[in-house]
Amino acid sequence: MAVCLTCKPKLYCFTDCHEEVLVKLKENVQLNLTKDVVYDQALVDVFVKTLRTLLSMNSSAVGYVASTIRNPETYQYFCKGIEKEGITREILELPPDSRQHFQPCTDMHTVELLKLCLG
């Protein structure tokens, strides 16, 4: 899958039809990752609509967004957008050792981890 997304071949064929592989593939497709979309208001609306669509596919679906708050106005725009779409957010506490997963210049006080769900 990663090769298909990265290299964009004209043709590809998946030959491994083992049940465990297919289950794992389904799980991986359901776990959608994105980067740097909350910093630009032009991208926020599309991102929020995408979140709404994905969360509405399964009543128990949950999404997570980790966001470095570089521009508070844009972040508030994102928060208002998810609220408008009926998405609730819960701010989760970042583990103390999570600093290693962020860029060295990131101030941990400007990073929020959100748990999102409908309703």
Side-chain angles (χ1 to χ4, degrees):
M1 290 287 296
V3 171
C4 291
L5 292 172
T6 305
C7 300
K8 302 198 183 335
K10 290 182 181 180
L11 178 67
Y12 53 89
C13 179
F14 293 107
T15 58
D16 192 343
C17 292
H18 191 277
E19 185 64 28
E20 287 182 43
V21 173
L22 296 175
V23 167
K24 185 53 78 178
L25 178 61
K26 181 179 178 185
E27 290 172 4
N28 288 339
V29 169
Q30 290 176 343
L31 177 63
N32 290 281
L33 302 176
T34 189
K35 180 180 171 184
D36 283 339
V37 294
V38 178
Y39 77 95
D40 185 344
Q41 284 190 16
L43 301 172
V44 168
D45 292 333
V46 174
F47 180 52
V48 169
K49 297 243 186 253
T50 302
L51 287 171
R52 171 87 166 102
T53 299
L54 292 171
L55 291 171
S56 67
M57 290 180 170
N58 181 331
S59 61
S60 62
V62 175
Y64 294 92
V65 172
S67 184
T68 302
I69 305 171
R70 295 180 185 97
N71 182 330
E73 292 81 21
T74 303
Y75 188 70
Q76 283 300 343
Y77 184 81
F78 167 70
C79 291
K80 287 179 183 177
I82 60 175
E83 184 179 308
K84 179 180 160 187
E85 289 294 326
I87 300 171
T88 59
R89 68 184 169 108
E90 175 186 348
I91 299 172
L92 302 177
E93 186 172 328
L94 291 168
D97 63 346
S98 64
R99 181 179 297 274
Q100 65 190 350
H101 301 291
F102 296 96
Q103 296 174 357
C105 63
T106 301
D107 178 1
M108 286 302 290
H109 298 290
T110 63
V111 175
E112 278 194 355
L113 177 60
L114 302 177
K115 179 180 177 181
L116 307 174
C117 59
L118 287 180

